[in-house]
Amino acid sequence: SSESIRPSAKFDRNKADDPFAKKKLTNFAYVYKCGRIPCRINHGSVSHKLQWDIEPCNLDYDPLLLQMAEGLAECQHPYVFIASRGFKELLEAKGSHEKATPLTKKLVFILRQSLKSRNPDVFARALDGLQLLSTCVGPALDSHLSALLVQVNRKSLFKGLETKINETIEILAENGGDRAVKIIKTKVPTFSMC
């Protein structure tokens, strides 16, 4: 295969999508290939960045943020990078709190699907997404914590992800306040704030 010939193939974590293969695309891959995700990868010599057609702060988040959240479950390049970085940049953009808060319930549903994944990389990206969402919307996430924590706690034995899981729960508690801490303690009895 051509991948075993490329010297850099051993550094690729995610298998690249074959643009010529005839297969059913995921929703995110379909939307991206149709040009409805307003960003592209800017390949740098050391690291990659997203190049937005329109600045994230000027974009309508519905359905774009939801599509990026769906993309967190992707397993192929370039979708993994675009979805992860795009989700992060949208939630960190100016005015994101006002745009993301009304979408919280839909985002939680999508993130829960990724948290159910048996793929540790997808689960880790979902945890990262949950941390970003919590930081962006704060206490607006509190009413959804029970459903999220069930999924997070079930995966607490994923080897190598224990620290990320604990970090996520702490971020949820910090951003959610006293109500979040009470909810977390009912779902994760061993939880204590550091």
Side-chain angles (χ1 to χ4, degrees):
S1 94
S2 64
E3 284 207 37
S4 60
I5 296 170
R6 269 187 325 117
S8 64
K10 65 182 175 185
F11 299 112
D12 294 343
R13 185 174 179 128
N14 299 300
K15 183 180 170 196
D17 180 42
D18 180 357
F20 305 108
K22 292 185 180 186
K23 63 182 185 300
K24 186 173 176 10
L25 295 174
T26 61
N27 187 44
F28 181 81
Y30 175 78
V31 170
Y32 180 73
K33 283 190 173 189
C34 288
R36 291 188 274 177
I37 303 289
C39 62
R40 303 289 170 264
I41 296 178
N42 183 354
H43 296 277
S45 60
V46 177
S47 64
H48 303 314
K49 296 184 212 173
L50 284 185
Q51 182 171 336
W52 293 89
D53 300 337
I54 301 170
E55 286 299 314
C57 62
N58 297 324
L59 290 167
D60 184 7
Y61 279 27
D62 190 4
L64 182 60
L65 186 61
L66 302 172
Q67 292 164 338
M68 292 290 192
E70 286 177 345
L72 296 175
E74 291 288 343
C75 295
Q76 291 186 316
H77 179 75
Y79 312 124
V80 170
F81 178 81
I82 292 166
S84 300
R85 186 63 60 92
F87 193 74
K88 178 182 188 330
E89 290 184 16
L90 287 171
L91 289 177
E92 292 177 347
K94 183 179 177 188
S96 61
H97 175 78
E98 294 78 18
K99 293 179 180 184
T101 301
L103 301 174
T104 300
K105 184 175 182 176
K106 291 177 182 176
L107 288 166
V108 165
F109 178 79
I110 295 167
L111 287 173
R112 278 191 71 209
Q113 299 310 307
S114 294
L115 289 169
K116 291 178 183 179
S117 175
R118 293 180 183 198
N119 181 323
D121 292 334
V122 171
F123 181 75
R125 282 192 297 277
L127 288 176
D128 290 338
L130 187 54
Q131 290 178 14
L132 291 163
L133 182 62
S134 175
T135 301
C136 181
V137 302
L141 198 55
D142 288 358
S143 60
H144 306 284
L145 284 180
S146 292
L148 289 164
L149 289 168
V150 168
Q151 299 308 321
V152 171
N153 212 21
R154 281 186 185 157
K155 301 285 173 84
S156 62
L157 299 177
F158 256 176
K159 196 168 182 96
L161 290 174
E162 303 91 347
T163 303
K164 186 180 274 292
I165 290 170
N166 291 333
E167 180 183 289
T168 301
I169 294 171
E170 286 180 14
I171 289 171
L172 292 170
E174 281 176 30
N175 295 326
D178 292 338
R179 182 172 174 230
V181 171
K182 288 178 187 172
I183 295 167
I184 291 168
K185 285 187 176 186
T186 63
K187 296 293 177 186
V188 187
T190 57
F191 174 75
S192 65
M193 289 289 285
C194 293

